Amino acid sequence: QVQVAESGGGLVQAGGSLRLSCAASGSGFILDAMGWYRQATGKARELVATVTSGGNTDYADSVKGRFTISRDNAKNTVYLQMNSLKIEDTAVYVCAVSDYVRRQHYWGQGTQVTVSS
């Protein structure tokens, strides 16, 4: 089993920055892709950014140039640096990781990001 825990959410003014972290823990796993999703109130969950085990990244068009995803394999942690935040970035941000050994995906509980005007 893999546990996933996010941190770093909060309230920030438009134009500001936040950094989210997500740490995976447990035993007997090897992390493959890691990513961030978000879900705003009344909207479907959407993919924000992903990073493969090799470091290749992909972003939703809405965050390109503003968000940066990175990972520290030694710490089993993925980060999301969010700059130039907009009100429409307000959502619950959820981390997801893929376990290469069990071929399963694991999700965190989510962390709230609120961007105010």
Side-chain angles (χ1 to χ4, degrees), residues 30-43:
I30 299 175
L31 292 177
D32 196 350
M34 306 176 79
W36 289 94
Y37 293 74
R38 67 185 181 186
Q39 186 165 17
T41 302
K43 295 188 177 181

Side-chain angles (χ1 to χ4, degrees), residues 38-46 90-92 112:
R38 67 185 181 186
Q39 186 165 17
T41 302
K43 295 188 177 181
R45 179 174 290 184
E46 64 171 343
T90 295
V92 175
Q112 177 70 45

Side-chain angles (χ1 to χ4, degrees), residues 12-103:
V12 64
Q13 285 191 323
S17 298
L18 279 176
R19 188 191 193 207
L20 305 182
S21 300
C22 169
S25 61
S27 61
F29 66 92
I30 299 175
L31 292 177
D32 196 350
M34 306 176 79
W36 289 94
Y37 293 74
R38 67 185 181 186
Q39 186 165 17
T41 302
K43 295 188 177 181
R45 179 174 290 184
E46 64 171 343
L47 177 65
V48 176
T50 59
V51 57
T52 67
S53 57
N56 293 318
T57 59
D58 194 21
Y59 297 91
D61 288 342
S62 58
V63 306
K64 282 181 181 177
R66 300 188 297 121
F67 291 10
T68 302
I69 190 170
S70 60
R71 62 190 286 168
D72 184 333
N73 292 328
K75 296 181 179 180
N76 292 323
T77 299
V78 62
Y79 305 96
L80 186 67
Q81 178 66 44
M82 304 185 293
N83 299 327
S84 302
L85 282 161
K86 303 176 180 180
I87 292 175
E88 51 263 41
D89 293 320
T90 295
V92 175
Y93 284 71
V94 183
C95 175
V97 304
S98 297
D99 177 9
Y100 179 81
V101 174
R102 299 177 180 85
R103 300 293 187 184

